[in-house]
Each structure stands twice: as structure tokens, then as C-alpha cells.
Amino acid sequence: MPTSMPATLRPFYQLELEAYRKQYATGNLYQAWNHLERAHVIGQAYPVEHSQVHGLMLIFGFKTKNIKETLGQIPRLLLGGIKSFAGKIPVGNTGGSNIPPLKPLPIQDDIKEIFRKAGVNR
């Protein structure tokens, strides 16, 4: 199980984080959150990126005064990277506290295409 994100996948992950920051800065919170969820799906197999997204989700919950999200992100932040390292991730899970942390979800077609382009099997 690889623990670092492949260089072929990293640009797609970074694009989602950039889009998150841009949307957040313009006050488009729904779209900002959507990009965090997409970054989570792309990065969840890799400990550093998985933890990074949960950290951003925690900050998002805090800044938007969403207590449920803030509290829900604490265990995800603490355990997400460990689960990635162990290769025990729920593939496709979008990472928010509105989804059970161990529930796999279907991967969106365009993200499947990202994985294909990057040579990553999900």
C-alpha cells in the first residue's frame, strides 16, 4: 500500500484545494465544501493528504460555526491518516460528518476519470 500520493495524482488533488480556497474566499460555501469533499475522495488513500483535508474540514466547520461538522471532524482528523496508512479506507467516502466515517460511497465518474488518467486503481 503506497503511503505517499503519486506525482500523477497530486495536481488533481491540488486543483481541488485551490478551487476550495477560491470558492471559500468568495463566500460560495456550498461550492467550497464540494471541493473539499472531492479532495477527500482523491486523497483519502494517502495519510498526509487525508489528514490535511480533514484538518481543512475542521477549520471550515469552525469558521462557519457548524458545531456538528466541527465535532465530527475531530475523530476523523485523529484517525483518518492512520486508516490510510493501514489501507482501511471507505473508498468514495466524502469525509463530512453527514456521512458515517466507515461508509463507502460510489465515486463520481469524473473522479474515476482522474484516477484513470493518473494511473491509480480505485
Side-chain angles (χ1 to χ4, degrees):
M1 182 69 176
T3 58
S4 61
M5 181 177 278
T8 55
L9 186 58
R10 181 161 299 286
F12 298 103
Y13 174 77
Q14 291 295 338
L15 281 172
E16 293 298 337
L17 293 183
E18 289 170 21
Y20 156 71
R21 289 181 182 102
K22 184 181 282 186
Q23 293 297 326
Y24 186 86
T26 60
N28 192 343
L29 300 181
Y30 176 80
Q31 283 300 321
W33 182 257
N34 182 59
H35 287 292
L36 276 182
E37 290 179 321
R38 291 172 56 81
H40 182 271
V41 173
I42 293 168
Q44 74 182 136
Y46 311 100
V48 171
E49 290 79 8
H50 194 178
S51 296
Q52 180 183 24
V53 172
H54 281 300
L56 291 170
M57 287 178 162
L58 174 68
I59 292 167
F60 184 94
F62 184 76
K63 286 184 174 181
T64 58
K65 298 180 176 140
N66 184 331
I67 300 300
K68 180 182 178 206
E69 195 61 52
T70 301
L71 294 176
Q73 286 304 321
I74 294 170
R76 288 167 172 82
L77 178 60
L78 295 173
L79 299 173
I82 294 168
K83 294 192 75 60
S84 297
F85 187 76
K88 301 289 184 189
I89 58 160
V91 173
N93 186 295
T94 54
S97 64
N98 61 325
I99 304 292
L102 301 177
K103 181 179 182 174
L105 296 172
I107 297 175
Q108 294 175 348
D109 288 340
D110 67 319
I111 295 179
K112 285 181 188 177
E113 182 63 16
I114 287 170
F115 288 142
R116 188 195 66 71
K117 285 180 182 176
V120 173
N121 186 21
R122 285 283 179 274

